[in-house]
Amino acid sequence: MTEPVRTPEPPARSAADEAQHRFAALEAERGDTYEGRVELARETLRWAHETYGAGLTTASSMGDEVLVHLLGTTLTGADVFFLDTGYHFAETLGTRDAYEAMLPVQIRTILPRLTVAEQDAEHGPRLHDRDPNACCAMRKVEPMNRALEGYDAWVTGMRREDAPTRSDIELVGWDDRRGMAKLNPIAGWTQDDVDRYVDEHGVFLNPLRQSGYASIGCAPCTRPVAEGEDARAGRWSGTDKVECGLHT
């Protein structure tokens, strides 16, 4: 009986699989201290840059300021994309502009295919209230898929603490849906780690932080959180929605 021909894994997949095991071992060995977690994050970014070069990009909502700072102080000229949904707070757009001016990163702003006015005309106003999943699909997921075209790997600012849906993310993994490597360099960071890094490095924060916004998304679907509330309680408040679809 003839053995089936096995298609070799693409180089991007092979590299990600090998790194996944290596970085998991490194995290088990050194990830129990703040200093170890920070250095592992930088090592992850350096490895990705050396492995994928111009095929590496980073997603930023400008509500993940620590990730952008970490990236810009670890690599030079890193490619970053920002999804301008048309619903962002002015402070978020200002944060994007500030980081482009402050750090050696190249920021691409990606727009949805429809403007807000065009979407309202086609699907009715305030779609985000009536069907937030459909709104996110058009204004976030589809633009992000375009932003990732031609790349081999992408970096996110997700942390395991963010939500139950993120509790098992790894420093280096594989995005089956898009067929590319996916890196989460600050996956193991706690909120205390984030706060300490901000203080130690003078990280510029989205001004909305001062008004109680712990997790920042589109203005119509984001509110400040009360003391003691979960950081993501202000996203799609009053619904059972917990993810925009970019990572699920």
Side-chain angles (χ1 to χ4, degrees):
M1 184 174 177
T2 305
E3 288 289 329
V5 176
R6 299 189 178 214
T7 303
E9 289 185 344
R13 179 62 186 265
S14 299
D17 286 347
E18 186 278 330
Q20 180 179 12
H21 297 297
R22 182 162 64 88
F23 277 98
L26 287 173
E27 187 173 20
E29 176 186 329
R30 293 159 33 197
D32 58 347
T33 66
Y34 165 77
E35 292 79 9
R37 290 188 288 272
V38 172
E39 185 50 37
L40 271 174
R42 293 195 188 278
E43 282 189 40
T44 303
L45 292 171
R46 287 192 288 263
W47 170 83
H49 176 69
E50 292 166 4
T51 303
Y52 299 111
L56 177 69
T57 188
T58 296
S60 175
S61 65
M62 296 301 153
D64 46 14
E65 309 94 318
V66 161
L67 174 67
V68 184
H69 184 278
L70 190 74
L71 183 76
T73 55
T74 303
L75 308 177
T76 299
D79 181 277
V80 178
F81 69 88
F82 170 77
L83 304 177
D84 186 351
T85 65
Y87 284 120
H88 279 302
F89 294 95
E91 291 88 343
T92 299
L93 299 177
T95 301
R96 172 201 59 187
D97 297 342
Y99 272 103
E100 191 165 34
M102 290 188 300
L103 292 176
V105 294
Q106 304 296 320
I107 298 179
R108 296 180 288 139
T109 294
I110 311 297
L111 301 172
R113 295 196 185 278
L114 300 178
T115 65
V116 170
E118 290 169 341
Q119 179 175 296
D120 287 351
E122 188 169 328
H123 299 278
R126 302 190 68 82
L127 181 63
H128 45 74
D129 289 346
R130 294 179 287 106
D131 191 345
N133 288 327
C135 190
C136 284
M138 286 188 284
R139 310 209 72 77
K140 289 185 176 182
V141 179
E142 188 281 329
M144 190 185 77
N145 289 338
R146 278 190 282 115
L148 292 175
E149 287 178 1
Y151 288 86
D152 299 311
W154 66 300
V155 179
T156 87
M158 291 198 301
R159 295 186 297 118
R160 295 175 190 133
E161 275 195 355
D162 287 339
T165 52
R166 302 180 179 186
S167 61
D168 60 350
I169 59 174
E170 301 178 86
L171 295 178
V172 180
W174 185 255
D175 186 339
D176 285 312
R177 182 175 166 189
R178 300 177 178 89
M180 61 196 304
K182 184 175 182 179
L183 298 98
N184 309 294
I186 61 173
W189 287 30
T190 65
Q191 186 58 48
D192 286 344
D193 292 339
V194 172
D195 294 341
R196 179 173 171 181
Y197 184 91
V198 167
D199 290 341
E200 288 183 353
H201 297 275
V203 175
F204 175 79
L205 296 179
N206 188 318
L208 291 169
R209 301 285 181 202
Q210 300 174 16
S211 301
Y213 288 85
S215 179
I216 302 169
C218 294
C221 302
T222 308
R223 66 163 174 82
V225 297
E227 186 173 350
E229 267 193 307
D230 182 86
R232 299 219 7 130
R235 304 290 296 278
W236 306 288
S237 182
T239 75
D240 59 1
K241 184 174 172 63
V242 296
E243 293 279 4
C244 59
L246 299 181
H247 304 289
T248 56

